[in-house]
Amino acid sequence: IFLVITKMSSLNQTQEKKEYYQKNREKILEYKRKYYREHKELFKESNKKYRTKNREKCLNLGYEWRRKQKLELFKLLGSKCANPYNLLPHPDWCNDPRCLQIDHVHGGGRHERRHSDYYGRILSKVKSGSKDYQLLCSNCNWIKRIQNEEYPIKKGLILNV
């Protein structure tokens, strides 16, 4: 009986906490923001210690997060090679995500890749309706880069057949 009463009272407390949080959400969030601003160095130090201690876990979480963003981006872009110039006949293997690459339609992707949240930035732009990106298989991407001279070509390095 004691266990049942304890369990019931803890459920009531949980419900009361939820209701209190919902009522005072803005106040609580403002307090948390203020506390963070005042103790930013403490948070940075604590995060650094955690990342050092749990290096593998943090690396895996980052990898998983980027992978999910990339897969969502691929779905939004059609999950297959756009084949913009009808350069190559495309068999079924061109729909395999392992051979697809995100292409910047107007070039300039090299500069964008320098940002730490590369996939997140592109994902938000595509979600907002940007047509600056497409999926290309590796072959089409390289052919497009050569045709449009989207990278510095050294003399004699690439043969145009």
Side-chain angles (χ1 to χ4, degrees):
I1 294 177
F2 177 72
L3 181 64
V4 173
I5 293 171
T6 308
K7 197 77 159 164
M8 296 271 298
S9 90
S10 70
L11 288 174
N12 288 338
Q13 287 176 351
T14 304
Q15 185 62 29
E16 288 171 8
K17 285 180 184 178
K18 283 182 184 178
E19 289 171 5
Y20 176 82
Y21 182 79
Q22 288 172 349
K23 268 187 193 175
N24 301 295
R25 184 173 187 269
E26 289 304 316
K27 221 187 310 185
I28 293 169
L29 291 176
E30 183 54 41
Y31 173 79
K32 286 181 177 182
R33 282 188 217 106
K34 182 180 175 189
Y35 186 85
Y36 176 77
R37 283 192 302 268
E38 291 172 358
H39 300 89
K40 196 178 248 184
E41 291 304 316
L42 183 66
F43 278 93
K44 284 183 180 181
E45 185 180 319
S46 174
N47 287 340
K48 187 175 181 179
K49 283 181 185 176
Y50 179 83
R51 284 192 308 271
T52 303
K53 185 177 178 183
N54 301 293
R55 186 172 188 277
E56 278 300 312
K57 182 178 180 181
C58 291
L59 287 173
N60 287 337
L61 285 173
Y63 172 76
E64 272 302 307
W65 177 250
R66 283 185 299 279
R67 189 181 68 76
K68 285 179 184 176
Q69 285 182 322
K70 187 176 179 180
L71 289 175
E72 185 178 353
L73 187 57
F74 277 24
K75 284 179 187 172
L76 289 172
L77 292 174
S79 297
K80 64 180 182 178
C81 179
N83 197 6
Y85 307 112
N86 291 318
L87 299 170
L88 301 169
H90 280 76
D92 289 340
W93 57 262
C94 274
N95 299 337
D96 188 338
R98 294 175 295 180
C99 72
L100 294 174
Q101 300 174 347
I102 298 166
D103 175 58
H104 297 71
V105 174
H106 307 292
R110 178 178 56 159
H111 304 293
E112 196 165 6
R113 276 191 301 277
R114 292 180 181 164
H115 296 284
S116 60
D117 188 23
Y118 174 65
Y119 291 121
R121 292 168 67 100
I122 294 176
L123 186 59
S124 65
K125 289 178 185 177
V126 170
K127 280 183 176 178
S128 66
S130 174
K131 300 291 182 196
D132 294 335
Y133 305 96
Q134 63 185 352
L135 281 181
L136 295 179
C137 67
S138 319
N139 295 329
C140 286
N141 200 13
W142 273 98
I143 292 170
K144 178 185 170 273
R145 286 177 71 185
I146 292 168
Q147 283 183 343
N148 297 344
E149 296 181 4
E150 292 180 355
Y151 67 98
I153 299 174
K154 294 183 180 176
K155 197 170 187 176
L157 184 64
I158 295 183
L159 301 173
N160 287 328
V161 181

